[in-house]
Amino acid sequence: MRLAESLLAEIRSAARPVVLIDGGSGSGKTTLAPLIAERLGAQLVHLDDFYPGWDGLEGGSRHVHDFVLSSEPRWQRWDWVADRPAEWHVLDQSRPLVIEGSGSLSRANRAIATFGIWVELDAATRKHRALARDGDAYALHWDRWAAQEAAFAAREHPRELADYVVFDD
């Protein structure tokens, strides 16, 4: 994935950049996020670490708003094996922050963050990538998760909230 220098320059212009990276599962969010975080010297938060289970896209989005973007930024890991919340992780409120995951770019989250990025890729390629990456464990949940992404997109319109739309290739 190519990263435009103009995008980085604009993000860097903020006093403490907070970047939300959203897109459908398999679109390339997790590839793009560390590239931006490294160039900014930013902390990187993945919603995959705290979605509360396979029906947790909405809960993950709220967690971003209520905890990650709060005045005391932190997040609580979800223990997927035990199917319950686990330990808390405290974030440095003075350092730049990159948050990636489906559901990160809601209206409420975008109102607090500095930048929003939507990663665009066709559905067939996204599904192929996601299942190649995560295998049978994800295949059982693909339709369920895709339905949550569609409901979130219909309500929040994350692509329209984005300052930038990145097309993965």
Side-chain angles (χ1 to χ4, degrees):
M1 183 175 289
R2 294 180 300 262
L3 193 56
E5 287 303 317
S6 59
L7 168 62
L8 285 171
E10 188 167 345
I11 292 171
R12 280 192 194 108
S13 71
R16 179 193 176 243
V18 175
V19 181
L20 302 171
I21 302 175
D22 204 331
S25 185
S27 64
K29 301 176 302 298
T30 307
T31 301
L32 178 61
L35 297 174
I36 293 175
E38 182 180 333
R39 299 287 292 275
L40 296 176
Q43 302 163 99
L44 177 56
V45 174
H46 302 278
L47 271 73
D48 284 350
D49 291 333
F50 56 80
Y51 288 124
W54 284 108
D55 295 309
L57 189 141
E58 293 293 336
S61 183
R62 280 191 307 275
H63 195 89
V64 169
H65 183 269
D66 295 346
F67 299 106
V68 180
L69 296 175
S70 73
S71 61
E72 296 177 17
R74 63 205 184 279
W75 58 274
Q76 187 174 25
R77 185 178 68 83
W78 182 261
D79 184 331
W80 286 83
V81 174
D83 197 32
R84 62 182 173 85
E87 76 280 354
W88 283 92
H89 296 263
V90 176
L91 298 164
D92 183 341
Q93 62 186 357
S94 67
R95 288 185 55 211
L97 180 60
V98 174
I99 304 162
E100 75 83 17
S102 294
S104 64
L105 192 50
S106 68
R107 290 185 308 266
N109 294 344
R110 181 62 191 91
I112 300 169
T114 315
F115 295 95
I117 299 173
W118 176 261
V119 183
E120 183 78 25
L121 188 65
D122 67 274
T125 304
R126 288 190 306 98
K127 183 174 183 178
H128 175 75
R129 276 188 183 178
L131 297 182
R133 176 190 65 208
D134 297 326
D136 292 338
Y138 190 11
L140 298 172
H141 304 285
W142 174 266
D143 291 335
R144 179 175 170 188
W145 190 258
Q148 290 173 78
E149 288 179 332
F152 179 85
R155 188 186 74 247
E156 296 292 333
H157 307 284
R159 189 179 196 281
E160 289 77 27
L161 294 171
D163 299 291
Y164 299 96
V165 176
V166 176
F167 295 89
D168 194 3
D169 47 11

